[in-house]
Amino acid sequence: PATFSIPASLFASGFTFVEVIASIIFGTLVTNVALLANSHAGAKYGIPFAVYARSAFGCEGAKFAAASRGVIAVLWLSFQMWQGAYAFIMGLNALVPGANTWINLWPPNILSLGQLLSFAGVAIIHAALVIYGLFRFSKVPMFVLAAICSIGLIGLWIWSIQNLGVVNFNKAANDLLRSSNAQPIDRDNPGWVILVVLKGTNVIVSNWSTMILNMSDISRYAKTQRAQMIGQTVGINLSMLVTALAGVAGAIASVHV
C-alpha cells in the first residue's frame, strides 16, 4: 500500500507531474543501488544482517544495530497495516454504505468499530504470515497473490485512463495541485532544484529503508551473487515503477471523479 500512496504524496509538497515521475525513477535507481550493496555480503557469505553489522559495529555494537532496526520495522509495518485497513474499509463502505462510520467509538468521528475491525483483521493476517513464515506456504498461494496484485494494478490503470485519457495526466496533475492545500515550491529560489531532488529521492527511498537495511537476511538464500543482482535489478525496478506510477495515476484520476 505504501508504494501506491507515498509517491503520490509528493503532489501535496507542490511537486509537478514531471517532478513526481522524475523522483520515482531516480529514487528507484538509488534504492536499487543501496539494496545491491547491502545484499552482497549476504549472498557471498550466507550471513544475516545481525552478523553483517559486526564488521562496522563490533560484536557488542551489532546487538544495538540489530535491535534498533526493529523501531524502523514497527513504523514501516504500522504504516502498511494502516493503509491496508483504510483501503479495505473504504472498499467495504462502497459495497455497504455506512460501514466506515458504523458505531462511533471515539468521537467526534475519529474511530469507528468498522475501522477498528478492519485494522484488526489486517493485523491478524500480518501476524499469521510473520509467525508461520512465507516459506511454509506452497508456491500456489504466492502465484495467486501475484495474480491478484497484477489484476488490481491493471484495473487501476484502466480506470485512471478511462477517467482522464493518456494525454490529460499532466493537466489533471496541475488541477490536483490547484485544488489541494499543497505548499508551493519557491521556484525563484536558486536552490529549488536541489530541494526537489533531495526531497523526492528521500520520499521514495524511505519507503524501502527497512528492506535496504535487512536485505542480507534475504540475499543469503540466493544461489549466486549474479542471481540476486539480476533478480533485484529487474524485480525491484519494474515492480516499484509500475506500482508507484499506478498510485500516481490513481491519485490524479480521483480528483476528477
Side-chain angles (χ1 to χ4, degrees):
T3 310
F4 284 100
S5 60
I6 288 180
S9 69
L10 288 171
F11 287 115
S13 297
F15 280 50
T16 65
F17 178 72
V18 174
E19 290 167 353
V20 171
I21 300 302
S23 296
I24 292 173
I25 295 173
F26 185 69
T28 301
L29 293 175
V30 173
T31 299
N32 189 217
V33 171
L35 282 169
L36 292 177
N38 262 5
S39 298
H40 185 271
K44 184 175 182 178
Y45 302 109
I47 56 175
F49 170 77
V51 177
Y52 177 37
R54 294 177 185 175
S55 62
F57 298 97
C59 290
E60 294 301 319
K63 296 177 182 178
F64 172 77
S68 62
R69 65 179 175 165
V71 177
I72 301 175
V74 168
L75 294 174
W76 179 82
L77 182 60
S78 299
F79 183 79
Q80 296 284 353
M81 289 195 298
W82 167 58
Q83 289 281 284
Y86 181 75
F88 178 80
I89 193 63
M90 295 308 293
L92 182 62
N93 192 66
L95 297 174
V96 185
N100 187 38
T101 56
W102 180 54
I103 305 182
N104 195 12
L105 298 178
W106 191 351
N109 300 322
I110 295 177
L111 178 67
S112 68
L113 182 59
Q115 293 170 333
L116 180 61
L117 291 176
S118 175
F119 183 82
V122 173
I124 290 172
I125 293 174
H126 277 79
L129 291 174
V130 171
I131 292 172
Y132 290 100
L134 292 176
F135 293 110
R136 296 192 182 184
F137 293 90
S138 65
K139 292 183 179 181
V140 176
M142 299 303 174
F143 283 114
V144 172
L145 289 173
I148 293 174
C149 291
S150 299
I151 292 172
L153 281 172
I154 294 171
L156 182 58
W157 273 111
I158 293 174
W159 175 80
S160 302
I161 293 173
Q162 283 180 339
N163 275 278
L164 295 174
V166 178
V167 296
N168 292 329
F169 270 84
N170 191 44
K171 178 180 180 300
N174 293 331
D175 293 340
L176 174 62
L177 285 174
R178 286 192 293 268
S179 62
S180 66
N181 295 320
Q183 181 68 31
I185 296 175
D186 183 11
R187 288 179 168 78
D188 294 328
N189 189 329
W192 74 269
V193 175
I194 297 176
L195 174 64
V196 168
V197 171
L198 291 178
K199 192 170 185 177
T201 303
N202 182 65
V203 167
I204 303 302
V205 174
S206 64
N207 184 33
W208 285 84
S209 58
T210 303
M211 287 304 299
I212 291 173
L213 190 63
N214 300 315
M215 206 58 212
S216 59
D217 289 341
I218 300 174
S219 64
R220 59 180 171 152
Y221 296 107
K223 293 181 178 179
T224 63
Q225 194 72 252
R226 183 173 180 272
Q228 71 90 5
M229 291 181 69
I230 295 176
Q232 290 200 85
T233 300
V234 175
I236 295 296
N237 288 328
L238 183 60
S239 61
M240 179 71 174
L241 288 173
V242 172
T243 307
L245 291 173
V248 170
I252 296 172
S254 64
V255 179
H256 291 262
V257 175

